[in-house]
PDB file of all heavy atoms in Angstrom:
ATOM      1  N   THR F 729       3.718  -1.435   8.865  1.00 96.00           N
ATOM      2  CA  THR F 729       4.613  -2.137   8.025  1.00 96.00           C
ATOM      3  C   THR F 729       4.241  -1.894   6.570  1.00 96.00           C
ATOM      4  O   THR F 729       3.181  -1.377   6.312  1.00 96.00           O
ATOM      5  CB  THR F 729       4.529  -3.655   8.293  1.00 96.00           C
ATOM      6  OG1 THR F 729       3.139  -4.172   8.049  1.00 96.00           O
ATOM      7  CG2 THR F 729       4.932  -4.041   9.726  1.00 96.00           C
ATOM      8  N   PHE F 730       5.069  -2.339   5.615  1.00 97.00           N
ATOM      9  CA  PHE F 730       4.827  -2.049   4.224  1.00 97.00           C
ATOM     10  C   PHE F 730       4.888  -3.301   3.428  1.00 97.00           C
ATOM     11  O   PHE F 730       5.684  -4.210   3.800  1.00 97.00           O
ATOM     12  CB  PHE F 730       5.816  -0.997   3.693  1.00 97.00           C
ATOM     13  CG  PHE F 730       5.504   0.274   4.489  1.00 97.00           C
ATOM     14  CD1 PHE F 730       6.300   0.632   5.548  1.00 97.00           C
ATOM     15  CD2 PHE F 730       4.522   1.151   4.026  1.00 97.00           C
ATOM     16  CE1 PHE F 730       6.118   1.708   6.260  1.00 97.00           C
ATOM     17  CE2 PHE F 730       4.320   2.307   4.771  1.00 97.00           C
ATOM     18  CZ  PHE F 730       5.065   2.592   5.930  1.00 97.00           C
ATOM     19  N   PRO F 731       4.210  -3.464   2.357  1.00 98.00           N
ATOM     20  CA  PRO F 731       3.228  -2.543   1.792  1.00 98.00           C
ATOM     21  C   PRO F 731       1.947  -2.416   2.631  1.00 98.00           C
ATOM     22  O   PRO F 731       1.641  -3.399   3.341  1.00 98.00           O
ATOM     23  CB  PRO F 731       2.943  -3.067   0.475  1.00 98.00           C
ATOM     24  CG  PRO F 731       3.089  -4.513   0.585  1.00 98.00           C
ATOM     25  CD  PRO F 731       4.214  -4.715   1.548  1.00 98.00           C
ATOM     26  N   THR F 732       1.288  -1.361   2.507  1.00 98.00           N
ATOM     27  CA  THR F 732      -0.069  -1.262   3.115  1.00 98.00           C
ATOM     28  C   THR F 732      -1.003  -0.686   2.031  1.00 98.00           C
ATOM     29  O   THR F 732      -0.639   0.094   1.241  1.00 98.00           O
ATOM     30  CB  THR F 732       0.009  -0.152   4.305  1.00 98.00           C
ATOM     31  OG1 THR F 732       0.803  -0.734   5.357  1.00 98.00           O
ATOM     32  CG2 THR F 732      -1.422   0.117   4.908  1.00 98.00           C
ATOM     33  N   LEU F 733      -2.201  -1.252   2.121  1.00 98.00           N
ATOM     34  CA  LEU F 733      -3.273  -0.905   1.146  1.00 98.00           C
ATOM     35  C   LEU F 733      -4.459  -0.238   1.982  1.00 98.00           C
ATOM     36  O   LEU F 733      -4.900  -0.879   2.919  1.00 98.00           O
ATOM     37  CB  LEU F 733      -3.724  -2.045   0.405  1.00 98.00           C
ATOM     38  CG  LEU F 733      -4.916  -1.879  -0.437  1.00 98.00           C
ATOM     39  CD1 LEU F 733      -4.746  -0.976  -1.597  1.00 98.00           C
ATOM     40  CD2 LEU F 733      -5.525  -3.301  -0.925  1.00 98.00           C
ATOM     41  N   GLN F 734      -4.877   0.900   1.551  1.00 98.00           N
ATOM     42  CA  GLN F 734      -6.173   1.345   1.973  1.00 98.00           C
ATOM     43  C   GLN F 734      -7.158   1.017   0.856  1.00 98.00           C
ATOM     44  O   GLN F 734      -7.140   1.627  -0.220  1.00 98.00           O
ATOM     45  CB  GLN F 734      -6.120   2.897   2.131  1.00 98.00           C
ATOM     46  CG  GLN F 734      -7.473   3.375   2.734  1.00 98.00           C
ATOM     47  CD  GLN F 734      -7.430   4.956   2.982  1.00 98.00           C
ATOM     48  OE1 GLN F 734      -8.479   5.478   3.526  1.00 98.00           O
ATOM     49  NE2 GLN F 734      -6.434   5.700   2.647  1.00 98.00           N
ATOM     50  N   HIS F 735      -7.902  -0.039   1.132  1.00 96.00           N
ATOM     51  CA  HIS F 735      -8.697  -0.486  -0.032  1.00 96.00           C
ATOM     52  C   HIS F 735     -10.206   0.170   0.010  1.00 96.00           C
ATOM     53  O   HIS F 735     -10.887   0.026  -0.971  1.00 96.00           O
ATOM     54  CB  HIS F 735      -8.930  -2.067   0.038  1.00 96.00           C
ATOM     55  CG  HIS F 735      -9.402  -2.557   1.351  1.00 96.00           C
ATOM     56  ND1 HIS F 735     -10.672  -2.753   1.652  1.00 96.00           N
ATOM     57  CD2 HIS F 735      -8.685  -2.936   2.483  1.00 96.00           C
ATOM     58  CE1 HIS F 735     -10.866  -3.243   2.957  1.00 96.00           C
ATOM     59  NE2 HIS F 735      -9.565  -3.321   3.395  1.00 96.00           N
ATOM     60  N   ALA F 736     -10.531   0.807   1.053  1.00 96.00           N
ATOM     61  CA  ALA F 736     -11.747   1.615   1.186  1.00 96.00           C
ATOM     62  C   ALA F 736     -11.477   2.696   2.135  1.00 96.00           C
ATOM     63  O   ALA F 736     -10.513   2.471   2.980  1.00 96.00           O
ATOM     64  CB  ALA F 736     -12.911   0.746   1.560  1.00 96.00           C
ATOM     65  N   PRO F 737     -12.225   3.765   2.169  1.00 95.00           N
ATOM     66  CA  PRO F 737     -12.000   4.728   3.108  1.00 95.00           C
ATOM     67  C   PRO F 737     -11.872   4.304   4.606  1.00 95.00           C
ATOM     68  O   PRO F 737     -12.848   3.649   5.050  1.00 95.00           O
ATOM     69  CB  PRO F 737     -13.224   5.715   2.903  1.00 95.00           C
ATOM     70  CG  PRO F 737     -13.567   5.514   1.489  1.00 95.00           C
ATOM     71  CD  PRO F 737     -13.422   4.060   1.276  1.00 95.00           C
ATOM     72  N   GLY F 738     -10.735   4.392   5.144  1.00 94.00           N
ATOM     73  CA  GLY F 738     -10.585   3.980   6.574  1.00 94.00           C
ATOM     74  C   GLY F 738     -10.379   2.485   6.749  1.00 94.00           C
ATOM     75  O   GLY F 738     -10.270   2.009   7.902  1.00 94.00           O
ATOM     76  N   GLU F 739     -10.254   1.759   5.684  1.00 96.00           N
ATOM     77  CA  GLU F 739     -10.039   0.316   5.760  1.00 96.00           C
ATOM     78  C   GLU F 739      -8.782  -0.065   5.163  1.00 96.00           C
ATOM     79  O   GLU F 739      -8.501   0.200   4.036  1.00 96.00           O
ATOM     80  CB  GLU F 739     -11.196  -0.504   5.059  1.00 96.00           C
ATOM     81  CG  GLU F 739     -12.526  -0.230   5.661  1.00 96.00           C
ATOM     82  CD  GLU F 739     -13.633  -1.031   5.053  1.00 96.00           C
ATOM     83  OE1 GLU F 739     -13.404  -2.132   4.340  1.00 96.00           O
ATOM     84  OE2 GLU F 739     -14.817  -0.557   5.132  1.00 96.00           O
ATOM     85  N   TYR F 740      -7.855  -0.719   5.973  1.00 97.00           N
ATOM     86  CA  TYR F 740      -6.487  -0.963   5.603  1.00 97.00           C
ATOM     87  C   TYR F 740      -6.135  -2.435   5.764  1.00 97.00           C
ATOM     88  O   TYR F 740      -6.713  -3.137   6.556  1.00 97.00           O
ATOM     89  CB  TYR F 740      -5.502  -0.226   6.484  1.00 97.00           C
ATOM     90  CG  TYR F 740      -5.604   1.333   6.407  1.00 97.00           C
ATOM     91  CD1 TYR F 740      -6.686   1.962   7.086  1.00 97.00           C
ATOM     92  CD2 TYR F 740      -4.816   1.989   5.643  1.00 97.00           C
ATOM     93  CE1 TYR F 740      -6.809   3.438   7.025  1.00 97.00           C
ATOM     94  CE2 TYR F 740      -4.930   3.453   5.484  1.00 97.00           C
ATOM     95  CZ  TYR F 740      -5.873   4.121   6.194  1.00 97.00           C
ATOM     96  OH  TYR F 740      -6.061   5.452   6.116  1.00 97.00           O
ATOM     97  N   MET F 741      -5.142  -2.862   4.963  1.00 97.00           N
ATOM     98  CA  MET F 741      -4.543  -4.195   5.131  1.00 97.00           C
ATOM     99  C   MET F 741      -2.950  -3.998   4.795  1.00 97.00           C
ATOM    100  O   MET F 741      -2.721  -3.117   4.037  1.00 97.00           O
ATOM    101  CB  MET F 741      -5.259  -5.220   4.301  1.00 97.00           C
ATOM    102  CG  MET F 741      -5.259  -4.989   2.829  1.00 97.00           C
ATOM    103  SD  MET F 741      -6.390  -5.985   1.813  1.00 97.00           S
ATOM    104  CE  MET F 741      -5.878  -7.611   2.312  1.00 97.00           C
ATOM    105  N   ASN F 742      -2.179  -4.814   5.394  1.00 93.00           N
ATOM    106  CA  ASN F 742      -0.777  -4.608   5.217  1.00 93.00           C
ATOM    107  C   ASN F 742       0.076  -5.914   4.986  1.00 93.00           C
ATOM    108  O   ASN F 742       1.204  -5.853   5.311  1.00 93.00           O
ATOM    109  CB  ASN F 742      -0.156  -3.764   6.256  1.00 93.00           C
ATOM    110  CG  ASN F 742      -0.231  -4.325   7.601  1.00 93.00           C
ATOM    111  OD1 ASN F 742      -0.792  -5.411   7.811  1.00 93.00           O
ATOM    112  ND2 ASN F 742       0.245  -3.629   8.671  1.00 93.00           N
ATOM    113  N   GLU F 743      -0.540  -6.975   4.597  1.00 94.00           N
ATOM    114  CA  GLU F 743       0.266  -8.201   4.242  1.00 94.00           C
ATOM    115  C   GLU F 743       0.298  -8.315   2.695  1.00 94.00           C
ATOM    116  O   GLU F 743      -0.678  -8.386   2.103  1.00 94.00           O
ATOM    117  CB  GLU F 743      -0.353  -9.423   4.894  1.00 94.00           C
ATOM    118  CG  GLU F 743      -0.196  -9.414   6.386  1.00 94.00           C
ATOM    119  CD  GLU F 743       1.185  -9.628   6.919  1.00 94.00           C
ATOM    120  OE1 GLU F 743       2.046 -10.249   6.165  1.00 94.00           O
ATOM    121  OE2 GLU F 743       1.506  -9.089   7.968  1.00 94.00           O
ATOM    122  N   SER F 744       1.468  -8.344   2.162  1.00 96.00           N
ATOM    123  CA  SER F 744       1.592  -8.411   0.755  1.00 96.00           C
ATOM    124  C   SER F 744       0.870  -9.587   0.127  1.00 96.00           C
ATOM    125  O   SER F 744       0.130  -9.445  -0.876  1.00 96.00           O
ATOM    126  CB  SER F 744       3.036  -8.380   0.245  1.00 96.00           C
ATOM    127  OG  SER F 744       3.774  -9.465   0.786  1.00 96.00           O
ATOM    128  N   SER F 745       0.875 -10.693   0.772  1.00 97.00           N
ATOM    129  CA  SER F 745       0.247 -11.973   0.186  1.00 97.00           C
ATOM    130  C   SER F 745      -1.281 -11.738   0.243  1.00 97.00           C
ATOM    131  O   SER F 745      -2.031 -12.188  -0.671  1.00 97.00           O
ATOM    132  CB  SER F 745       0.563 -13.180   0.931  1.00 97.00           C
ATOM    133  OG  SER F 745       1.988 -13.407   0.766  1.00 97.00           O
ATOM    134  N   ASP F 746      -1.783 -11.112   1.306  1.00 97.00           N
ATOM    135  CA  ASP F 746      -3.252 -10.824   1.388  1.00 97.00           C
ATOM    136  C   ASP F 746      -3.731  -9.829   0.375  1.00 97.00           C
ATOM    137  O   ASP F 746      -4.796  -9.997  -0.286  1.00 97.00           O
ATOM    138  CB  ASP F 746      -3.591 -10.299   2.719  1.00 97.00           C
ATOM    139  CG  ASP F 746      -3.364 -11.322   3.876  1.00 97.00           C
ATOM    140  OD1 ASP F 746      -3.258 -12.593   3.526  1.00 97.00           O
ATOM    141  OD2 ASP F 746      -3.337 -10.988   5.075  1.00 97.00           O
ATOM    142  N   ILE F 747      -2.810  -8.857   0.119  1.00 97.00           N
ATOM    143  CA  ILE F 747      -3.187  -7.866  -0.882  1.00 97.00           C
ATOM    144  C   ILE F 747      -3.245  -8.488  -2.303  1.00 97.00           C
ATOM    145  O   ILE F 747      -4.169  -8.243  -3.051  1.00 97.00           O
ATOM    146  CB  ILE F 747      -2.198  -6.676  -0.808  1.00 97.00           C
ATOM    147  CG1 ILE F 747      -2.334  -5.904   0.538  1.00 97.00           C
ATOM    148  CG2 ILE F 747      -2.475  -5.688  -2.008  1.00 97.00           C
ATOM    149  CD1 ILE F 747      -1.234  -4.921   0.761  1.00 97.00           C
ATOM    150  N   ILE F 748      -2.266  -9.292  -2.572  1.00 97.00           N
ATOM    151  CA  ILE F 748      -2.195  -9.984  -3.783  1.00 97.00           C
ATOM    152  C   ILE F 748      -3.420 -10.919  -3.939  1.00 97.00           C
ATOM    153  O   ILE F 748      -4.091 -10.972  -5.000  1.00 97.00           O
ATOM    154  CB  ILE F 748      -0.909 -10.860  -3.921  1.00 97.00           C
ATOM    155  CG1 ILE F 748       0.315  -9.835  -4.174  1.00 97.00           C
ATOM    156  CG2 ILE F 748      -0.956 -11.857  -5.102  1.00 97.00           C
ATOM    157  CD1 ILE F 748       1.649 -10.499  -4.056  1.00 97.00           C
TER     158      ILE F 748
END
Side-chain angles (χ1 to χ4, degrees):
T729 61
F730 299 94
T732 294
L733 169 68
Q734 183 180 187
H735 55 89
E739 295 183 27
Y740 296 82
M741 57 193 306
N742 64 358
E743 291 293 328
S744 59
S745 295
D746 293 342
I747 297 169
I748 289 170

